Amino acid sequence: MNIFDSLFLYIYLMPSGLYKRLGINIVHLRAILMAKLTMDNRRPAAFQQMRHSKEKKELNKATLKTMLASFFMGLLFLFAFGIGHDLTTKLTLFFSMFIFMLAATLITDFTSVLIDIRDNLIILPKPVNDSTFLTARLLHIAIHVNKMALPMAFPAMIAVILISGFWTLIPFLFFLLLATMVSIFLINAVYILILKITTPSKFQSIISYIQIGFAILIYGGYQLVPRIMENSVMKDISISSVQYIRFFPPFWFAEACNSLSCFTFGPNAWISTGLAVFVPLGSIYLVMKYFAPAFNQKLGLINSSTVESNKIIKKKQGFNPAYSRIEKLATMLTKDRREYMGFVFAWKMMGRSREFKLKVYPAFGYVIVLLAMLLLKSGSQLFSDFADMTSKGKSLFLMILYFSSFILITAIAQLSYSDKSKAGWIFLTAPLVNPGNVIVGAVKAAMIQFYTPVILIFTIAGTLIVGPGILPNLLLGCFNVLSICSLIAYFNLRELPFSVATSEAAKGRTVIRSMITLIIPAAFGFFQWLIFDYLWIVAIFATLSIIATWMVLGSIRNLGWERLGSYSRNNAQGPN
Amino acid sequence: MDPIISIQNLCKFFGSKQVLNQISFDIMPGQVIGYIGPNGAGKSTTVKILCGLLSDYSGQVFIKGKDIRENPVESKRLIGFVPEIAELYDVLTPSEFLGLIGALYDLSPETVSERADRMLDAFGLAGNKDQRMDTFSKGMKQKVLITSGLLHNPDIIILDEPLSGLDANSVIIVKELISKMADSGKTIFYCSHMMDIVEKVSDRIILINEGVVVADGSFEELKQKQGDSSLEQIFAHLTATTSLSEASDKLMNAFEN
């Protein structure tokens, strides 16, 4: 527990007289909330889940970190106050971002707050009455939401005071509370929707896709917002003139807040104020009355084994053509049974492990966002730059080509990690002569899964825009990326696939090392820029690059046990 | 003497599947009940009903003469439950976790910390009480779980496979603890698949199969009735649908061409 938790707990336990009259046991309530808040503090929260989950054990300040991250997100919202000439416009923008971001942030870790399945076996067998348990759950949710919403809105509070005077803060805070309710309603609506269209067992993976999309969105936001700010037209917009804006909830909050702050109410403002107050209250009533009981029931099924096992049986009966295709591909691309096994195993694990997707898929988004930035910057004659391959077109083409290696580099870097790493004993007990056989299979699987789509897009787009003349350079670029990635795999991937605990991921990968990793593609790109127009030289180097890829993969195949990190670790510890 | 636990005509359905079918038995204070049955026989469901976790059943369950459905909170106060899988909030430390459990049973913080210290010390965990449990081994977690179930000195102790993951010395400790608690008048409800231990610790064995009680009595009585020599054989005799040696033959034959 930190000072904020203690403060929230103190505030929420203040009406203890009222709680007692409702039959709530204050001692139990406090004990449950304290335990829950302590656990939250040690749980990696939404923002950290992406990058820092390796620190899981040491993460003692999760609450403070989350609050700080929310605060920085809140700073981003300040740009709303630089747009438009009236307060309603500024606030409409602010409330839209606030509601959306709060909902998006909460949606990813709301399940663990909303329902912790362990409660069923730990708290429910204890002599705790239902209303105490329910209240503990509700207050826990309230505190959790507060910890996100308050720091997120804090910069805006200061801005509101500076722009419109101290008294505006009071209606602003009031509507902030109501906007928070709308966010909670949105989350619940999304949850219900997901549960309607799919099974509870798929729920978690859909939530992680939302998480991935969210990470990309934040990244894009940080890239885009400063650019929009540069555009001076935005400063004079008035949102009230936009048609249909009256149907947009953030506008109600903004107009109501504006009217209350200057005490001028037109008929429209009355309608907005009424909607701004009653719609959130109505929606939160819906959540409490209908939504919450529905998922408590459905989410309870997430962990129930009976539902799962029935399904598995059904699946196995049907023949799945996709697998046989992968297996055919693996047979073509691998040298022996062990390599084949590594390929198929890694392919399936990459496609199914939520943790792996969560770490690697955002890389696609980052690449797309960065490409969009590059293209936006380069202006309007972009197309002709590419078609004629001017020197600008050349450098852009090479930047895109080499930057795409980021996806494969991220995938290869994650290839050894898994939260089910202990299952990796199968490789250690099996009579493998060279673990390199399995590793090279896995690397090939990563290449096919994460780089062939990129190659395909480049080939099609390149031939359409520039013409077939681009193909030798494309070939050289793609194989350079592949040989760079094989080299990185050779030097960094000293573990069997999916066999190292994620908590180990921090060790040995320093910032400098990953920076150097990104310099290599840049250097190759520069080199190709020098020889770009000499097609014969390009063709020669492309051949060399293919041979290099093939040879490096061969070296990975020959990696012996003594080169593996796990091998030296086990021997250092002695027999265990 | 009045029974401390009384179950009458207990039936429970999950959807259309009947899990418990007319289960009835009385348990006297101080008895150690070995509650056994094959996977899916309805053991866990019975335990969940006794702990007040499930209430949509038909029939009646009384704890100390009071209907558990009408007095769930009072009944829970009398019971200490050690669940099967090491379900605990493992980012907490044992001290924090036991503090939470103690508060839920309305024990004063002093009582909790004194008892917790003594019990953890007895289990050899004194040095680990302020470490987070996510680094603990399965056996260490199980010891904390047993401590949490006994902390409020309950009259009835429900143990669901309590020895899983424990080392041989700890198994001896828990086995002796069970008989000492029974001597002091506590009632033990022991669910397990380990027949040799059930055979030794229980003074009455209830065997259920497909939601029905198929045997009920002391080990000696069961032996006389069934004519088998070990509980394992009695169990197989009463619950196996196919011949077990036939099954192992099939397994061996799988290697042949």
Side-chain angles (χ1 to χ4, degrees):
Chain A
M1 297 254 294
N2 55 41
I3 175 153
F4 293 104
D5 284 332
S6 314
L7 189 71
F8 283 129
L9 194 61
Y10 178 76
I11 293 171
Y12 277 102
L13 289 180
M14 275 210 290
S16 55
L18 175 74
Y19 293 152
K20 266 180 206 155
R21 237 177 298 153
L22 291 169
I24 292 158
N25 184 323
I26 302 291
V27 178
H28 293 177
L29 185 65
R30 182 192 297 273
I32 298 173
L33 281 175
M34 274 175 65
K36 291 273 176 192
L37 293 175
T38 310
M39 285 192 283
D40 285 349
N41 204 15
R42 291 176 189 169
R43 185 164 54 91
F47 288 111
Q48 274 92 34
Q49 250 162 29
M50 292 296 185
R51 275 160 289 159
H52 294 292
S53 55
K54 56 200 170 202
E55 295 168 17
K56 210 170 181 177
K57 276 174 203 157
E58 279 70 39
L59 207 62
N60 231 330
K61 308 221 168 346
T63 304
L64 282 178
K65 283 189 181 171
T66 310
M67 290 178 80
L68 206 66
S70 304
F71 176 75
F72 280 115
M73 178 90 62
L75 285 179
L76 187 70
F77 298 165
L78 283 180
F79 100 98
F81 293 93
I83 286 178
H85 71 273
D86 54 9
L87 190 61
T88 310
T89 309
K90 295 174 199 293
L91 285 178
T92 306
L93 267 174
F94 166 75
F95 276 115
S96 332
M97 287 193 294
F98 177 77
I99 291 173
F100 176 75
M101 279 315 227
L102 188 62
T105 323
L106 283 172
I107 205 162
T108 55
D109 64 349
F110 207 50
T111 28
S112 54
V113 179
L114 195 72
I115 185 158
D116 185 341
I117 294 154
R118 292 172 302 179
D119 289 350
N120 291 342
L121 279 175
I122 298 174
I123 294 181
L124 290 185
K126 309 293 179 286
V128 179
N129 64 37
D130 285 349
S131 48
T132 306
F133 182 63
L134 196 71
T135 315
R137 200 168 253 183
L138 283 177
L139 291 188
H140 183 212
I141 293 172
I143 293 176
H144 183 78
V145 172
N146 275 335
K147 282 194 290 208
M148 300 285 220
L150 281 180
M152 208 182 259
F154 188 74
M157 292 180 206
I158 309 276
V160 164
I161 295 176
L162 290 179
I163 289 172
S164 158
F166 182 75
W167 293 111
T168 317
L169 188 62
I170 294 163
F172 181 68
L173 283 178
F174 176 66
F175 288 109
L176 213 53
L177 179 75
L178 294 170
T180 309
M181 290 183 184
V182 171
S183 300
I184 291 178
F185 172 77
L186 282 179
I187 296 168
N188 281 269
V190 171
Y191 277 8
I192 284 289
L193 194 74
I194 296 174
L195 287 175
K196 264 263 148 58
I197 54 177
T198 154
T199 57
S201 51
K202 287 217 179 106
F203 183 80
Q204 305 240 306
S205 44
I206 291 185
I207 292 289
S208 33
Y209 281 117
I210 293 180
Q211 218 167 340
I212 292 165
F214 177 58
I216 296 168
L217 208 74
I218 292 179
Y219 184 73
Y222 275 105
Q223 294 282 337
L224 265 172
V225 163
R227 271 158 248 263
I228 294 173
M229 287 297 285
E230 283 164 20
N231 196 336
S232 57
V233 188
M234 302 297 284
K235 292 207 168 80
D236 294 318
I237 281 178
S238 172
I239 202 115
S240 319
S241 58
V242 179
Q243 238 183 341
Y244 301 119
I245 193 75
R246 307 226 142 262
F247 295 100
F248 192 50
F251 178 75
W252 309 335
F253 294 121
E255 194 172 41
C257 194
N258 187 31
S259 309
L260 276 171
S261 72
C262 51
F263 286 107
T264 41
F265 282 93
N268 283 334
W270 278 115
I271 297 173
S272 291
T273 313
L275 286 170
V277 174
F278 289 107
V279 170
L281 290 178
S283 59
I284 213 78
Y285 175 78
L286 270 180
V287 168
M288 302 248 271
K289 182 93 183 164
Y290 300 105
F291 287 7
F295 348 110
N296 271 359
Q297 216 179 2
K298 281 208 169 176
L299 286 184
L301 292 178
I302 289 176
N303 270 21
S304 77
S305 49
T306 45
V307 181
E308 291 276 324
S309 53
N310 286 345
K311 239 176 234 134
I312 289 164
I313 294 165
K314 264 181 213 156
K315 248 186 213 160
K316 275 190 183 152
Q317 282 166 347
F319 176 70
N320 195 334
Y323 290 144
S324 70
R325 226 177 293 143
I326 291 158
E327 279 150 17
K328 264 183 214 149
L329 196 65
T331 322
M332 276 185 331
L333 292 170
T334 58
K335 221 174 169 180
D336 57 33
R337 279 294 290 171
R338 296 191 180 103
E339 195 177 322
Y340 168 89
M341 188 274 274
F343 186 100
V344 175
F345 169 69
W347 184 280
K348 289 178 182 173
M349 287 296 281
M350 289 188 297
R352 292 180 196 177
S353 152
R354 270 204 303 140
E355 203 195 358
F356 184 85
K357 289 191 212 166
L358 216 53
K359 295 240 168 67
V360 177
Y361 284 21
F364 279 103
Y366 296 157
V367 170
I368 291 168
V369 168
L370 257 164
L371 290 191
M373 289 295 111
L374 275 177
L375 300 183
L376 271 180
K377 235 183 179 173
S378 47
S380 52
Q381 0 87 325
L382 179 81
F383 197 77
S384 59
D385 270 339
F386 270 127
D388 304 338
M389 271 295 137
T390 61
S391 84
K392 197 175 164 193
K394 254 192 281 181
S395 10
L396 265 177
F397 170 78
L398 289 173
M399 273 164 94
I400 295 170
L401 196 60
Y402 281 92
F403 189 71
S404 67
S405 67
F406 182 62
I407 298 170
L408 189 54
I409 291 177
T410 316
I412 286 179
Q414 287 301 326
L415 211 50
S416 356
Y417 302 109
S418 164
D419 48 0
K420 293 273 186 295
S421 60
K422 281 186 181 158
W425 63 266
I426 50 165
F427 298 113
L428 302 178
T429 51
L432 274 181
V433 182
N434 269 343
N437 280 319
V438 178
I439 298 176
V440 80
V443 171
K444 283 181 182 172
M447 285 175 167
I448 302 294
Q449 198 170 86
F450 291 100
Y451 206 62
T452 37
V454 178
I455 296 178
L456 264 178
I457 293 169
F458 284 159
T459 314
I460 294 169
T463 346
L464 285 180
I465 299 172
V466 190
I470 197 72
L471 288 179
N473 269 299
L474 200 64
L475 191 73
L476 174 60
C478 289
F479 269 94
N480 274 346
V481 168
L482 287 179
S483 55
I484 294 166
C485 288
S486 339
L487 264 179
I488 292 174
Y490 178 74
F491 286 111
N492 282 353
L493 201 68
R494 288 294 167 86
E495 301 290 353
L496 286 157
F498 299 100
S499 64
V500 183
T502 318
S503 54
E504 299 274 317
K507 291 174 195 162
R509 274 191 70 89
T510 56
V511 180
I512 298 169
R513 207 158 150 195
S514 40
M515 291 224 329
I516 291 173
T517 314
L518 283 175
I519 288 172
I520 303 170
F524 273 77
F526 179 70
F527 176 73
Q528 192 175 350
W529 183 77
L530 290 177
I531 61 163
F532 197 92
D533 293 324
Y534 309 100
L535 282 191
W536 271 108
I537 304 182
V538 170
I540 292 169
F541 274 103
T543 322
L544 288 178
S545 186
I546 294 171
I547 296 172
T549 310
W550 185 71
M551 283 174 65
V552 178
L553 286 176
S555 313
I556 298 178
R557 187 178 293 121
N558 290 329
L559 277 179
W561 284 106
E562 71 286 351
R563 309 291 290 272
L564 287 201
S566 55
Y567 180 84
S568 48
R569 262 203 313 277
N570 282 346
N571 281 338
Q573 281 169 2
N576 208 324
Chain B
M1 202 157 46
D2 293 327
I4 188 158
I5 298 174
S6 173
I7 294 181
Q8 286 161 18
N9 305 323
L10 181 62
C11 294
K12 167 76 191 161
F13 287 85
F14 281 124
S16 59
K17 187 172 182 273
Q18 184 160 20
V19 199
L20 295 179
N21 185 6
Q22 299 286 335
I23 300 260
S24 298
F25 53 79
D26 287 343
I27 297 173
M28 294 298 156
Q31 275 189 330
V32 179
I33 305 294
Y35 197 60
I36 57 176
N39 294 328
K43 291 192 305 295
S44 302
T45 310
T46 320
V47 167
K48 279 182 183 160
I49 290 171
L50 276 177
C51 292
L53 297 179
L54 292 176
S55 55
D56 53 339
Y57 54 85
S58 68
Q60 280 171 313
V61 179
F62 296 97
I63 304 281
K64 272 200 171 169
K66 285 183 182 154
D67 191 329
I68 195 169
R69 255 192 297 216
E70 284 159 22
N71 299 290
V73 174
E74 285 314 304
S75 307
K76 285 176 185 177
R77 210 179 285 284
L78 298 170
I79 295 175
F81 174 47
V82 179
E84 182 184 0
I85 349 150
E87 284 284 4
L88 31 73
Y89 300 132
D90 58 5
V91 294
L92 297 180
T93 67
S95 303
E96 289 167 338
F97 183 69
L98 295 172
L100 165 70
I101 302 298
L104 297 181
Y105 284 106
D106 299 308
L107 301 176
S108 74
E110 297 78 37
T111 319
V112 174
S113 74
E114 200 190 316
R115 283 187 194 170
D117 281 357
R118 285 190 195 169
M119 292 170 83
L120 290 176
D121 188 36
F123 272 131
L125 288 181
N128 307 89
K129 70 186 174 90
D130 293 315
Q131 285 170 5
R132 284 202 212 167
M133 295 186 281
D134 48 9
T135 59
F136 280 18
S137 69
K138 201 178 164 207
M140 289 161 87
K141 286 184 187 169
Q142 191 64 29
K143 289 173 184 176
V144 176
L145 214 55
I146 294 175
T147 309
S148 79
L150 302 179
L151 198 63
H152 63 295
N153 195 17
D155 290 340
I156 302 167
I157 295 141
I158 298 177
L159 303 164
D160 196 351
E161 210 69 78
L163 303 179
S164 68
L166 292 187
D167 59 46
N169 292 334
S170 310
V171 167
I172 296 174
I173 297 177
V174 174
K175 269 181 358 191
E176 288 186 5
L177 182 67
I178 289 173
S179 52
K180 283 179 184 163
M181 287 191 301
D183 289 343
S184 71
K186 295 192 185 305
T187 311
I188 321 278
F189 194 85
Y190 186 100
C191 297
S192 180
H193 289 295
M194 297 185 206
M195 293 303 136
D196 46 339
I197 294 172
V198 174
E199 187 183 308
K200 282 191 193 106
V201 299
S202 353
D203 33 52
R204 179 178 162 198
I205 292 165
I206 298 174
L207 173 56
I208 64 166
N209 190 23
E210 292 174 352
V212 182
V213 176
V214 289
D216 183 351
S218 70
F219 179 46
E220 291 305 319
E221 286 166 15
L222 296 188
K223 256 203 301 202
Q224 278 169 15
K225 219 180 276 174
Q226 301 294 331
D228 292 308
S229 60
S230 74
L231 185 57
E232 198 174 74
Q233 285 168 333
I234 297 173
F235 185 92
H237 189 107
L238 289 170
T239 62
T241 45
T242 52
S243 157
L244 297 180
S245 63
E246 199 178 296
S248 56
D249 280 344
K250 272 188 193 161
L251 287 169
M252 284 310 292
N253 289 339
F255 302 115
E256 287 167 14
N257 289 319

